[in-house]
Each structure stands twice: as structure tokens, then as C-alpha cells.
Amino acid sequence: MAQKRIFSGIKPTGRLHLGNYIGAIKQWVAMQNEGECFFCIVDLHAITVPQEPKILKEKIRELAALYLACGIDPEKSVIFVQSHNLDHPALAWILDCVASMGQLGRMTQYKSKSEELKGKVSVGLFNYPVLMAADILLYQTDLVPVGEDQIQHVELTRDLAERFNHRFGQIFKIPEHRIFKIGARVMSLQHPEKKMSKSDDDPNGTIDLLDQPDEIRRKIKVAVTDSGREILFREDKPAISNLLTIYSHLSGKSVEELEKKYQGKGYREFKDDLAEVVVEFLRPIQQRYTQIRQEKKYLDQVLATGLKKAQAISRRTMNQVYQAVGLG
Ligand code: AMP
Ligand code: TRP
């Protein structure tokens, strides 16, 4: 039986946090044994909003090193930088000519970002989901492991693939998203009604993968809680439910087990334990990260090998697309 293809990516902007880890990377690590994985550093997506060039360059390497430190194994998975493979923007252009303005205007991420940017919206930001569709379709992807906020973009990808296939012949595989039932939307520690986000102005809302132990302990101490005292995963307890989600994902214990463990116990004890779980979970990741950053050549080599493997597949798709559309 043919192996499943798996594709996903993260933008090299801001600081990677527990939402990114739980929503995306944790799934990726597990899926490495399930199929042929491609994990991309999507720098072309990063520039849809202004970035400082020197910082962006640094962030690309930081993110690549974090992929490895979190357990993405370059022997099993293909890791590469999106802008190194020009098939991505090339296919995005062709898909731009299939996508409609109306459907792109309905994307919720676009709507909320363009509101934030008040008039300073680039054409790239509008086209963002088409480039994401190109990323996915170039590799004839079966599964796209992401957090909940990206489901709509994967749906658009399916729609564009179907539309293209209908017009030009069966070229693209139709992909599906994959999310965790619990943890697809990790919430801010300060505002449990908002998702944990790289662009949060309040640094206490996120726990970043490279936060130092004392910083982590402090952020969990000041994390908001709900009224009442019980430690239960319930709709009317969004803050505690979110902390339980994080605890469960990082400890491997189920939410039910944790509810039982903390029956009759207070928030203080729960938070102290959670802080240690997070600190101990991140410790080896941070150690590996520091080590990888010291071996500059190793990272270059991983990205160069990844690029070759990625291009071998994407070239094949592009040849078919050019033929089908009648280009060149
Ligand atoms: P981004 O930070 O937008 O580049 O997101 C990278 C990946 O992390 C995507 O798959 C997102 O869906 C996922 N992600 C981002 N924030 C969260 C969150 N708060 N909870 C769960 N997944 C998230
Ligand atoms: N849009 C995704 C995000 O903001 C990142 C992304 C770009 C992506 N291309 C992708 C995710 C392809 C999955 C597959 O998180």
C-alpha cells in the first residue's frame, strides 16, 4: 500500500509557543511513523506582513532548529525552507488564476488580520491561502496536521484542487486536515477566550518553547483561573480547561486522570505541579535546541538535503501542471 503523504508548515515569525507545539508539532512528531512527511518553514507566508529582514533570516534558522529539537527527525522527514523551492510561488500564481476574489475575501484569518492592519493590507496577505494551497498540493498531500484556525484554509485548498482538476484533468490529490480533538486550540493564559498567539501583546498569555524555567513558573502562577475551586474540564471553566489541556498533552495523562488526581485539591497545588510538568517537558527540547544552534553546518546540511527531496516531488507535479494548463 502506498504511504500517506503528510505536509505542514509554520511561519518563522515571533516566538514558538505551546499552542504551536500542541496544535501542530506534537502531531507531526507522532505522524512521522505514519507516512512520508514534509515539514516546511514557510518564510514566504511570513512576509505577507512586514518583517525586519535580519530578524527574519535569523528566525528561519531558529524555527528549523526548533523542529529538530522537538523531535522532527531528518532521517524520517523532509525539512526545508519554502522560499528555496520556487515551485511554491510558481504554483501559487497558477492557482491564483483559478481562485476567486470572493472566496478569498471570506477567509476569517484574512478578515481579522486585515481589520488589525487597517488599510495596510498587502496583496500577498489576501493571496496567503492560495500559497498555502500550493504548498500542500505540490506534494500530492493526503494529510495536513494543523491547529483549528487552519481548517478553513485546508478546505479552500480542497476546493481549489477540485476546481483545477475539473478544468484541467486529475492532477491533484484532495487533502484532508488532521487535528487533535483536545488541544487544536490552546488558549491564552491571560484571556482564555482568545487563542494563544505569537502576536499577543501580553507576554503572560503565552508560554514560549524557549522560555526559561523561572519565566514559565511565573507565567503559570499569574495565569487566570475560573470562579469556583474545582479542577474540572468544563465549558463554564475555560481557564482551567485550558490548563488541563496543556497538562494532559505534556504529561501524557488523560484529562480524566488529572481531574481525579486533583479532586478536592486547590488551584495552587495544581498550578505548581503544572509548572514543573512544563519546565521538565521543555528542558530537553531547549538543551537540544542549544546544541543544534551550535552546529551550524549540520542545520545547513539538513535543509539542503530536505530541499533536494522536496524538489524531486514538486518538480513532477509542476511538469504535470504545465502540461495540463498548456504553459511553456
Ligand atoms: P502560526 O503560528 O500561525 O505559524 O501557526 C503554526 C501552527 O500552529 C498552525 O498549524 C496553527 O494552527 C497552530 N497553532 C497556532 N496557534 C495555536 C493555538 N493557540 N492552538 C493550537 N494550535 C495553534
Ligand atoms: N497558514 C499556516 C499557519 O498560519 C502555515 C502554513 C503555510 C501551512 N503553508 C502551510 C500549514 C501548508 C499547513 C500546510 O499556521
Side-chain angles (χ1 to χ4, degrees), residues 7-11 42 45 82 109 128 131-133 135-136 144-146 149-150 153-154:
F7 187 101
S8 196
I10 297 181
K11 295 185 293 287
V42 290
H45 278 104
Q82 186 188 31
Q109 189 166 308
Y128 180 112
L131 178 59
M132 178 163 161
D135 297 342
I136 296 167
V144 186
V146 282
D149 59 345
Q150 296 303 312
H153 288 161
V154 179

mmCIF file of all heavy atoms in Angstrom, residues 7-11 42 45 82 109 128 131-133 135-136 144-146 149-150 153-154, ligand 2:
data_model
loop_
_atom_site.group_PDB
_atom_site.id
_atom_site.type_symbol
_atom_site.label_atom_id
_atom_site.label_comp_id
_atom_site.label_asym_id
_atom_site.label_seq_id
_atom_site.Cartn_x
_atom_site.Cartn_y
_atom_site.Cartn_z
ATOM 1 N N PHE A 7 1.907 16.903 4.940
ATOM 2 C CA PHE A 7 2.579 18.197 4.752
ATOM 3 C C PHE A 7 2.067 19.201 5.775
ATOM 4 O O PHE A 7 0.856 19.293 6.016
ATOM 5 C CB PHE A 7 2.319 18.758 3.345
ATOM 6 C CG PHE A 7 3.123 20.011 3.059
ATOM 7 C CD1 PHE A 7 4.280 19.943 2.299
ATOM 8 C CD2 PHE A 7 2.737 21.241 3.571
ATOM 9 C CE1 PHE A 7 5.045 21.098 2.064
ATOM 10 C CE2 PHE A 7 3.496 22.396 3.355
ATOM 11 C CZ PHE A 7 4.643 22.322 2.593
ATOM 12 N N SER A 8 2.995 19.962 6.377
ATOM 13 C CA SER A 8 2.566 21.094 7.191
ATOM 14 C C SER A 8 3.701 22.107 7.300
ATOM 15 O O SER A 8 4.839 21.830 6.888
ATOM 16 C CB SER A 8 2.117 20.640 8.580
ATOM 17 O OG SER A 8 1.372 21.679 9.207
ATOM 18 N N GLY A 9 3.371 23.280 7.836
ATOM 19 C CA GLY A 9 4.393 24.323 7.965
ATOM 20 C C GLY A 9 4.026 25.339 9.027
ATOM 21 O O GLY A 9 2.874 25.428 9.446
ATOM 22 N N ILE A 10 5.029 26.073 9.443
ATOM 23 C CA ILE A 10 4.839 27.164 10.410
ATOM 24 C C ILE A 10 5.616 28.372 9.892
ATOM 25 O O ILE A 10 6.680 28.227 9.273
ATOM 26 C CB ILE A 10 5.353 26.753 11.816
ATOM 27 C CG1 ILE A 10 4.528 25.563 12.358
ATOM 28 C CG2 ILE A 10 5.273 27.925 12.799
ATOM 29 C CD1 ILE A 10 4.938 25.080 13.744
ATOM 30 N N LYS A 11 5.092 29.555 10.168
ATOM 31 C CA LYS A 11 5.765 30.787 9.737
ATOM 32 C C LYS A 11 6.919 31.117 10.696
ATOM 33 O O LYS A 11 6.745 31.031 11.914
ATOM 34 C CB LYS A 11 4.788 31.972 9.768
ATOM 35 C CG LYS A 11 3.655 31.845 8.780
ATOM 36 C CD LYS A 11 2.797 33.097 8.758
ATOM 37 C CE LYS A 11 2.021 33.335 10.021
ATOM 38 N NZ LYS A 11 0.873 32.475 10.267
ATOM 39 N N VAL A 42 7.702 28.200 6.421
ATOM 40 C CA VAL A 42 7.000 28.951 5.374
ATOM 41 C C VAL A 42 7.329 30.447 5.450
ATOM 42 O O VAL A 42 6.524 31.268 5.861
ATOM 43 C CB VAL A 42 5.472 28.665 5.370
ATOM 44 C CG1 VAL A 42 5.202 27.252 4.892
ATOM 45 C CG2 VAL A 42 4.838 28.852 6.740
ATOM 46 N N HIS A 45 5.192 32.979 3.465
ATOM 47 C CA HIS A 45 3.981 33.395 4.180
ATOM 48 C C HIS A 45 4.298 34.473 5.218
ATOM 49 O O HIS A 45 3.472 35.358 5.473
ATOM 50 C CB HIS A 45 3.320 32.197 4.875
ATOM 51 C CG HIS A 45 2.470 31.383 3.962
ATOM 52 N ND1 HIS A 45 2.850 30.168 3.455
ATOM 53 C CD2 HIS A 45 1.252 31.635 3.441
ATOM 54 C CE1 HIS A 45 1.899 29.708 2.665
ATOM 55 N NE2 HIS A 45 0.919 30.577 2.644
ATOM 56 N N GLN A 82 10.601 27.096 2.488
ATOM 57 C CA GLN A 82 9.676 27.327 1.363
ATOM 58 C C GLN A 82 10.307 28.181 0.252
ATOM 59 O O GLN A 82 10.215 27.839 -0.922
ATOM 60 C CB GLN A 82 8.441 28.029 1.930
ATOM 61 C CG GLN A 82 7.298 28.238 0.975
ATOM 62 C CD GLN A 82 6.238 29.129 1.643
ATOM 63 O OE1 GLN A 82 6.563 29.998 2.464
ATOM 64 N NE2 GLN A 82 4.983 28.914 1.316
ATOM 65 N N GLN A 109 -9.229 34.311 8.727
ATOM 66 C CA GLN A 109 -7.912 34.821 9.137
ATOM 67 C C GLN A 109 -7.602 36.127 8.402
ATOM 68 O O GLN A 109 -7.090 37.079 8.983
ATOM 69 C CB GLN A 109 -6.823 33.780 8.859
ATOM 70 C CG GLN A 109 -5.475 34.165 9.449
ATOM 71 C CD GLN A 109 -4.492 32.992 9.459
ATOM 72 O OE1 GLN A 109 -4.774 31.915 9.937
ATOM 73 N NE2 GLN A 109 -3.320 33.221 8.916
ATOM 74 N N TYR A 128 -2.599 34.815 0.624
ATOM 75 C CA TYR A 128 -1.973 33.879 1.568
ATOM 76 C C TYR A 128 -2.506 32.442 1.442
ATOM 77 O O TYR A 128 -1.737 31.485 1.298
ATOM 78 C CB TYR A 128 -2.197 34.455 2.969
ATOM 79 C CG TYR A 128 -1.652 33.696 4.131
ATOM 80 C CD1 TYR A 128 -0.601 34.199 4.890
ATOM 81 C CD2 TYR A 128 -2.201 32.473 4.529
ATOM 82 C CE1 TYR A 128 -0.123 33.517 5.992
ATOM 83 C CE2 TYR A 128 -1.721 31.788 5.620
ATOM 84 C CZ TYR A 128 -0.683 32.313 6.346
ATOM 85 O OH TYR A 128 -0.206 31.626 7.427
ATOM 86 N N LEU A 131 -1.235 30.487 -1.643
ATOM 87 C CA LEU A 131 0.141 29.991 -1.495
ATOM 88 C C LEU A 131 0.148 28.750 -0.601
ATOM 89 O O LEU A 131 0.865 27.786 -0.857
ATOM 90 C CB LEU A 131 1.030 31.100 -0.906
ATOM 91 C CG LEU A 131 2.501 30.734 -0.651
ATOM 92 C CD1 LEU A 131 3.206 30.288 -1.935
ATOM 93 C CD2 LEU A 131 3.246 31.916 -0.021
ATOM 94 N N MET A 132 -0.678 28.767 0.431
ATOM 95 C CA MET A 132 -0.764 27.592 1.317
ATOM 96 C C MET A 132 -1.314 26.393 0.540
ATOM 97 O O MET A 132 -0.835 25.262 0.709
ATOM 98 C CB MET A 132 -1.645 27.925 2.523
ATOM 99 C CG MET A 132 -1.832 26.774 3.468
ATOM 100 S SD MET A 132 -2.447 27.338 5.078
ATOM 101 C CE MET A 132 -3.085 25.793 5.729
ATOM 102 N N ALA A 133 -2.278 26.639 -0.319
ATOM 103 C CA ALA A 133 -2.819 25.548 -1.149
ATOM 104 C C ALA A 133 -1.715 24.987 -2.048
ATOM 105 O O ALA A 133 -1.577 23.769 -2.211
ATOM 106 C CB ALA A 133 -3.994 26.060 -1.983
ATOM 107 N N ASP A 135 1.500 24.991 -1.456
ATOM 108 C CA ASP A 135 2.407 24.193 -0.597
ATOM 109 C C ASP A 135 1.905 22.750 -0.510
ATOM 110 O O ASP A 135 2.656 21.790 -0.655
ATOM 111 C CB ASP A 135 2.419 24.723 0.844
ATOM 112 C CG ASP A 135 2.943 26.144 0.981
ATOM 113 O OD1 ASP A 135 3.613 26.622 0.057
ATOM 114 O OD2 ASP A 135 2.664 26.769 2.038
ATOM 115 N N ILE A 136 0.618 22.653 -0.216
ATOM 116 C CA ILE A 136 0.024 21.339 0.066
ATOM 117 C C ILE A 136 -0.098 20.504 -1.207
ATOM 118 O O ILE A 136 0.270 19.332 -1.238
ATOM 119 C CB ILE A 136 -1.361 21.536 0.724
ATOM 120 C CG1 ILE A 136 -1.200 22.228 2.092
ATOM 121 C CG2 ILE A 136 -2.112 20.216 0.858
ATOM 122 C CD1 ILE A 136 -2.506 22.752 2.700
ATOM 123 N N VAL A 144 -2.963 16.976 6.341
ATOM 124 C CA VAL A 144 -2.367 18.244 6.755
ATOM 125 C C VAL A 144 -2.613 18.444 8.258
ATOM 126 O O VAL A 144 -3.696 18.866 8.662
ATOM 127 C CB VAL A 144 -2.969 19.431 5.960
ATOM 128 C CG1 VAL A 144 -2.247 20.724 6.278
ATOM 129 C CG2 VAL A 144 -2.955 19.159 4.461
ATOM 130 N N PRO A 145 -1.620 18.116 9.096
ATOM 131 C CA PRO A 145 -1.810 18.288 10.543
ATOM 132 C C PRO A 145 -1.611 19.745 10.958
ATOM 133 O O PRO A 145 -0.531 20.306 10.806
ATOM 134 C CB PRO A 145 -0.714 17.396 11.150
ATOM 135 C CG PRO A 145 0.323 17.250 10.085
ATOM 136 C CD PRO A 145 -0.332 17.467 8.764
ATOM 137 N N VAL A 146 -2.675 20.351 11.485
ATOM 138 C CA VAL A 146 -2.650 21.776 11.854
ATOM 139 C C VAL A 146 -3.518 22.007 13.092
ATOM 140 O O VAL A 146 -4.234 21.114 13.538
ATOM 141 C CB VAL A 146 -3.223 22.660 10.714
ATOM 142 C CG1 VAL A 146 -2.234 22.859 9.584
ATOM 143 C CG2 VAL A 146 -4.536 22.094 10.191
ATOM 144 N N ASP A 149 -7.386 26.777 13.716
ATOM 145 C CA ASP A 149 -7.505 28.006 12.917
ATOM 146 C C ASP A 149 -7.170 27.796 11.436
ATOM 147 O O ASP A 149 -7.475 28.658 10.615
ATOM 148 C CB ASP A 149 -6.619 29.112 13.513
ATOM 149 C CG ASP A 149 -5.146 28.728 13.565
ATOM 150 O OD1 ASP A 149 -4.834 27.529 13.418
ATOM 151 O OD2 ASP A 149 -4.308 29.625 13.731
ATOM 152 N N GLN A 150 -6.542 26.682 11.098
ATOM 153 C CA GLN A 150 -6.142 26.465 9.698
ATOM 154 C C GLN A 150 -7.103 25.569 8.911
ATOM 155 O O GLN A 150 -6.903 25.333 7.717
ATOM 156 C CB GLN A 150 -4.727 25.873 9.641
ATOM 157 C CG GLN A 150 -3.664 26.822 10.188
ATOM 158 C CD GLN A 150 -3.673 28.145 9.457
ATOM 159 O OE1 GLN A 150 -3.694 28.205 8.235
ATOM 160 N NE2 GLN A 150 -3.687 29.239 10.218
ATOM 161 N N HIS A 153 -8.485 27.069 5.743
ATOM 162 C CA HIS A 153 -7.520 27.135 4.631
ATOM 163 C C HIS A 153 -7.353 25.772 3.946
ATOM 164 O O HIS A 153 -7.131 25.715 2.734
ATOM 165 C CB HIS A 153 -6.166 27.633 5.144
ATOM 166 C CG HIS A 153 -6.158 29.092 5.508
ATOM 167 N ND1 HIS A 153 -5.206 29.658 6.315
ATOM 168 C CD2 HIS A 153 -7.002 30.095 5.161
ATOM 169 C CE1 HIS A 153 -5.456 30.950 6.461
ATOM 170 N NE2 HIS A 153 -6.541 31.244 5.768
ATOM 171 N N VAL A 154 -7.444 24.718 4.718
ATOM 172 C CA VAL A 154 -7.332 23.385 4.096
ATOM 173 C C VAL A 154 -8.596 23.106 3.262
ATOM 174 O O VAL A 154 -8.518 22.515 2.186
ATOM 175 C CB VAL A 154 -7.084 22.280 5.150
ATOM 176 C CG1 VAL A 154 -6.987 20.911 4.486
ATOM 177 C CG2 VAL A 154 -5.815 22.568 5.951
HETATM 178 N N1 TRP B 2 -1.034 29.112 7.295
HETATM 179 C C1 TRP B 2 -0.381 28.277 8.247
HETATM 180 C C2 TRP B 2 -0.408 28.982 9.620
HETATM 181 O O1 TRP B 2 -0.548 30.155 9.736
HETATM 182 C C3 TRP B 2 1.043 27.982 7.868
HETATM 183 C C4 TRP B 2 1.124 27.220 6.586
HETATM 184 C C5 TRP B 2 1.588 27.664 5.402
HETATM 185 C C6 TRP B 2 0.749 25.855 6.392
HETATM 186 N N2 TRP B 2 1.550 26.686 4.458
HETATM 187 C C7 TRP B 2 1.024 25.567 5.030
HETATM 188 C C8 TRP B 2 0.199 24.893 7.206
HETATM 189 C C9 TRP B 2 0.752 24.308 4.482
HETATM 190 C C10 TRP B 2 -0.073 23.635 6.663
HETATM 191 C C11 TRP B 2 0.188 23.348 5.313
HETATM 192 O O2 TRP B 2 -0.275 28.330 10.584
#
